[in-house]
Amino acid sequence: MSVYAISDLHLSFSSDKPMDIFGACWDNYWEKICDDWRAKVGDEDIVLIAGDISWAMTLENALIDIAEIAKLPGRKVFIKGNHDYWWSSLSKIRKALPEDFYVIQNDAIKLGEVVIAGSRLWNIISQSADDKKILEREKLRLRMSLKKAAELRCNNEKILAMCHFPPFDATFSDNDFTTIFEEYRVDSVVYGHLHGKDCRAVEYLNKNGISYYLTSCDRVNNKLVCICK
């Protein structure tokens, strides 16, 4: 069983919101992702999708985009991104998802030899009062999810954490989020949100023994990133 990751698919099969207006790297990007996905992923493998899945505004329309993902092999695990406006009632989402789709929200799941947890996070750079409140809430949600992951870890399984926003600033300095990941002995962290080759980011970083992967599809050439085998 292998685990792969990608994020920021920004699918729009239910709406007219093409991504190629943002540059040539978005030309036929979904076809490129699908070709790479089919070449790598088997039915028992796992694909983590770290938010910004669909431009849809409702679950009904998001399911049109999710149906395209369902055509691809493997077990898929979602977390919410800042543009996933369709994400509302968790129970409705879980009831509507196709087989072998999973969502994480304040909890964790165990699939084979890995336990998967995570939370959306938020902009850690902003100093506004509203953003600070959201950050404090995200810290609680992340702890809740990782506490559940620790309970599910019974045979030294790997803990993989997903977040949509990067868990550090451009200096990669320690902060409350990286401390939480270390406290719960997370093995790898997958995140997205950052776009474009000019943003100050790296696709891979080992920080205090934890592997951090940036998986925004345009940053990784529309290819799945292998997290573990």
Side-chain angles (χ1 to χ4, degrees), residues 6 13 32 46 72 78 80 106 110 143 175 179 184 214 216:
I6 198 163
F13 289 98
K32 295 172 185 176
I46 298 168
L72 300 169
F78 292 168
K80 183 180 182 180
N106 305 332
K110 180 179 176 181
R143 280 193 177 277
N175 59 56
T179 298
Y184 283 92
L214 171 58
S216 306

Side-chain angles (χ1 to χ4, degrees), residues 18-197:
M19 292 297 292
D20 55 12
I21 63 173
F22 297 109
C25 64
W26 293 95
D27 290 342
N28 300 313
Y29 79 101
W30 179 239
E31 289 81 0
K32 295 172 185 176
I33 290 171
C34 290
D35 288 345
D36 182 68
W37 190 315
R38 292 190 180 99
K40 291 176 177 175
V41 179
D43 290 339
E44 293 304 310
D45 294 333
I46 298 168
V47 180
L48 311 178
I49 304 179
D52 281 4
I53 300 152
S54 168
W55 280 120
M57 300 298 291
T58 66
L59 175 58
E60 180 182 12
N61 283 341
L63 288 172
I64 296 172
D65 293 330
I66 290 170
E68 296 300 314
I69 303 174
K71 296 175 182 178
L72 300 169
R75 296 174 284 178
K76 297 88 173 177
V77 185
F78 292 168
I79 61 165
K80 183 180 182 180
N82 61 306
H83 289 298
D84 288 317
Y85 301 115
W86 56 272
W87 193 297
S88 54
S89 166
L90 182 61
S91 60
K92 287 182 180 178
I93 293 171
R94 285 179 167 160
K95 185 177 180 180
L97 286 177
E99 185 179 0
D100 285 335
F101 277 72
Y102 308 87
V103 295
I104 293 174
Q105 183 172 305
N106 305 332
D107 55 6
I109 60 169
K110 180 179 176 181
L111 294 175
E113 299 173 357
V114 298
V115 179
I116 306 164
S119 189
R120 179 191 59 179
L121 274 58
W122 198 245
N123 180 1
I124 68 170
I125 300 173
S126 174
Q127 296 298 307
S128 77
D130 288 343
D131 285 341
K132 286 182 177 180
K133 287 180 181 178
I134 296 173
L135 279 171
E136 290 303 314
R137 192 158 60 237
E138 286 298 316
K139 290 174 191 175
L140 293 174
R141 289 171 173 169
L142 181 60
R143 280 193 177 277
M144 190 182 305
S145 179
L146 287 171
K147 181 180 179 182
K148 180 62 178 179
E151 293 170 357
L152 292 172
R153 182 189 236 171
C154 58
N155 194 28
N156 203 35
E157 293 89 353
K158 290 181 181 294
I159 292 184
L160 310 180
M162 304 168 67
C163 49
H164 179 64
F165 285 84
F168 29 54
D169 62 19
T171 69
F172 310 112
S173 300
D174 293 342
N175 59 56
D176 290 345
F177 290 112
T178 60
T179 298
I180 292 170
F181 290 135
E182 292 164 24
E183 178 183 341
Y184 283 92
R185 298 188 296 121
V186 169
D187 293 279
S188 298
V189 177
V190 170
Y191 66 99
H193 186 67
L194 300 177
H195 293 290
K197 292 299 182 183

